[in-house]
Amino acid sequence: MTHSSPLRGAARALFPVLLAGLLGGLPLVRAAELPSVVSQALQQAGIPASSVGIVVQAVDGGPPLLSHNARKAMNPASAMKLVTTYAALEMLGPAYTWRSEVLADASPHDGRINGNLYLRGSGDPKLALEQFWLLLRQLRTRGVSEINGDLILDRSAFALPAHDPGEFDQQPLRPYNAGPDALLVNFRSLRLLLQADATGNTVRVIAETPSEGLRIDNRLRLERGACGDWREQLTPVVRGMSIELSGSFPAACGERSLSLAPWTADMQVEDLFRVLWRELGGSFRGRVREGRTPLGATPLVVQESPTLGEIVRDINKYSNNVMARQLFLTLDSERPATIEGARRQIAGWLLASGLQLPELFIDNGSGLSRQARVSAAGLAQVLSAAWRSPVMAELIASLPVAGVDGTLRKRLKNGSAAGRAHLKTGYLEGVRAIAGLVLDNSGKRWIVVGLINDPNARLGKAALDALLLWVAER
């Protein structure tokens, strides 16, 4: 679906001003010192206080309870998704949906399409395996059984530079490194099930995602010891439609799912389409290739996505980078959508909302970035505005709950913050972050933002947890 925005002109003109920092910020009270429990945890981790930005602010306003390096521009990692998802809820509305369409050169005749079939995407962040199957099933239930032309993949809703999936961390097979795509199908991923067979001293590999040509060369060894970070013990190598799996898999892991993004977008969609269409009883004699849908094409079926309210929950609860990138591009009201266009729309929305974030730099909307920047005060402003917004319920419900679900399921389970903190987390090499809302023991709710940018940031979880407990136990 397309949308329009009255902010586009203002956004285009004022975006450079926002990024240049010519807009002032709200005054913040400086705390004399960090809470002792936080300072001690930072010292134990070898992280200087200068590498930390913190804001603790009551949701109902007033001077901050704690403000430390509040205006320092820092990398927020996945906490940047707060900006993307809140902006989207405000600009598009929680009921917004995407449409994936199937069109043809001409209407089917006697169950046959004598021409090309077009699969046109609009950037749906969640055209997963089940939804793709439903789209094809709609075509079959309308009587189509033969496709005598080619399948044309229409990605023209987005105009994007070439994407290198290995550029960020040299892990090109990790699904989180997949680039945005107007026709993103099943997150461009393949899911394998690994099963430890202690009796036979082997590891069984099962392809859960349907595939017509996949070949698995299983060279995994079954090992003893704790499960631990089992993924790091695997080495997948892709050669065409073959995946070689070597390394070891601990028996203590039992059964685990391994998701990979082994193929180009065209290869992945073609493989999935061919096997699902055949399983549905259809025949296909053509090729699969990229192209554009002609203006006179005949619409056949449409698959509508879940609502934005549901999509935002998936993005924030599980910190889904690929979905966040899709959503970010959707914010551009022009077609084809571009990264620069999405940035202009965000800038216009900030201006219209009275949010002053001069240090903000948002490059892809997901936080999977070395260049992204925002301040603790900036994220606190976003959360404060969200608390007063009509879409507050959707945004807060999308955040992981400490000790309960999402990325916080195993964190803070036994402390005062368990079940009382809704927080977006962030973690990259050299970065740790938390940002969200904490309910204290007296029933007062606080905005809490903590950012760490330091070579020892991986050791900073204890300091951020200490901050959360300090607020919760007030």
Side-chain angles (χ1 to χ4, degrees), residues 89-371:
L89 286 168
E90 285 262 331
M91 294 168 67
L92 305 177
Y96 180 87
T97 58
W98 291 257
R99 291 162 60 91
S100 301
E101 302 170 285
V102 176
L103 307 94
D105 284 329
S107 298
H109 180 71
D110 292 334
R112 293 189 299 272
I113 293 177
N114 294 314
N116 293 328
L117 192 71
Y118 302 90
L119 180 56
R120 182 165 65 191
S122 64
D124 185 350
K126 200 177 180 181
L127 186 60
L129 175 62
E130 297 83 355
Q131 284 71 38
F132 190 55
W133 178 84
L134 285 171
L135 179 65
L136 300 182
R137 187 177 183 277
Q138 283 190 65
L139 198 59
R140 282 290 290 120
T141 57
R142 282 161 173 76
V144 176
S145 58
E146 297 181 31
I147 302 169
N148 294 327
D150 292 344
L151 176 65
I152 311 299
L153 308 179
D154 187 343
R155 297 186 166 89
S156 59
F158 291 171
L160 301 170
H163 176 75
D164 178 4
E167 181 181 9
F168 181 76
D169 58 4
Q170 292 73 56
Q171 297 286 347
L173 300 182
R174 299 287 178 95
Y176 62 75
N177 276 324
D181 185 341
L183 189 56
L184 181 73
V185 177
N186 202 38
F187 307 107
R188 227 194 83 197
S189 68
L190 172 75
R191 179 168 163 157
L192 304 176
L193 187 66
L194 308 184
Q195 294 179 328
D197 181 359
T199 303
N201 199 35
T202 60
V203 181
R204 188 183 182 196
V205 181
I206 302 170
E208 290 196 318
T209 305
S211 176
E212 184 174 67
L214 173 65
R215 297 177 299 278
I216 298 175
D217 183 3
N218 180 7
R219 304 187 181 186
L220 292 173
R221 305 182 311 274
L222 191 66
E223 298 285 350
R224 306 302 171 188
C227 187
D229 197 355
W230 58 273
R231 286 182 180 84
E232 300 304 316
Q233 302 177 47
L234 306 178
T235 304
V237 177
V238 178
R239 297 185 180 90
M241 294 296 291
S242 176
I243 298 177
E244 176 189 296
L245 283 176
S246 60
S248 61
F249 183 70
C253 289
E255 184 175 285
R256 299 289 166 139
S257 292
L258 174 68
S259 292
L260 301 172
W263 303 313
T264 65
D266 282 2
M267 286 177 62
Q268 184 253 352
V269 175
E270 176 173 3
D271 185 53
L272 203 53
F273 170 79
R274 287 185 182 277
V275 68
L276 291 179
W277 185 243
R278 187 178 65 249
E279 288 180 355
L280 286 166
S283 67
F284 173 60
R285 297 180 175 87
R287 298 184 299 130
V288 177
R289 55 189 173 90
E290 190 167 341
R292 292 203 173 205
T293 306
L295 290 177
T298 301
L300 299 180
V301 296
V302 174
Q303 179 68 31
E304 197 163 8
S305 75
T307 65
L308 176 59
E310 297 172 73
I311 294 290
V312 162
R313 186 181 188 279
D314 285 345
I315 291 173
N316 285 334
K317 287 283 186 186
Y318 307 104
S319 206
N320 192 302
N321 294 301
V322 181
M323 293 178 72
R325 287 175 180 244
Q326 297 283 111
L327 179 57
F328 176 67
L329 282 160
T330 301
L331 296 180
D332 187 6
S333 58
E334 298 184 359
R335 287 295 177 267
T338 65
I339 293 172
E340 286 300 325
R343 288 173 181 163
R344 288 193 296 267
Q345 290 296 315
I346 290 260
W349 167 74
L350 289 170
L351 182 66
S353 302
L355 294 171
Q356 301 174 7
L357 280 69
E359 63 287 321
L360 175 70
F361 178 73
I362 184 167
D363 56 351
N364 60 38
S366 73
L368 189 69
S369 166
R370 300 296 179 195
Q371 289 75 45

Side-chain angles (χ1 to χ4, degrees), residues 376-443:
L379 285 177
Q381 277 191 68
V382 168
L383 286 164
S384 179
W387 182 254
R388 301 187 302 271
S389 168
V391 300
M392 178 271 289
E394 285 82 7
L395 182 68
I396 303 308
S398 77
L399 300 180
V401 181
V404 176
D405 65 8
T407 57
L408 285 174
R409 183 171 62 89
K410 297 181 180 180
R411 190 167 168 183
L412 296 164
K413 288 181 70 72
N414 301 316
S416 300
R420 302 164 68 89
H422 291 72
L423 304 162
K424 184 70 200 76
T425 58
Y427 178 63
L428 294 173
E429 182 180 353
V431 180
R432 270 202 183 273
I434 52 99
L437 303 176
V438 178
L439 185 69
D440 72 15
N441 283 336
S442 70

Side-chain angles (χ1 to χ4, degrees), residues 34 52-57 66-70 72 74 76 79 82 374-384 422-424 432-438 446-452 464 467-468 471:
L34 293 173
V52 180
I54 293 175
V55 169
V56 177
Q57 166 79 54
L66 180 60
S67 173
H68 175 79
N69 287 334
K72 183 176 182 178
M74 303 180 75
L82 279 171
V374 72
S375 67
L379 285 177
Q381 277 191 68
V382 168
L383 286 164
S384 179
H422 291 72
L423 304 162
K424 184 70 200 76
R432 270 202 183 273
I434 52 99
L437 303 176
V438 178
W446 300 87
I447 293 167
V448 181
V449 180
L451 306 177
I452 300 176
L464 294 179
L467 173 66
L468 295 171
V471 174

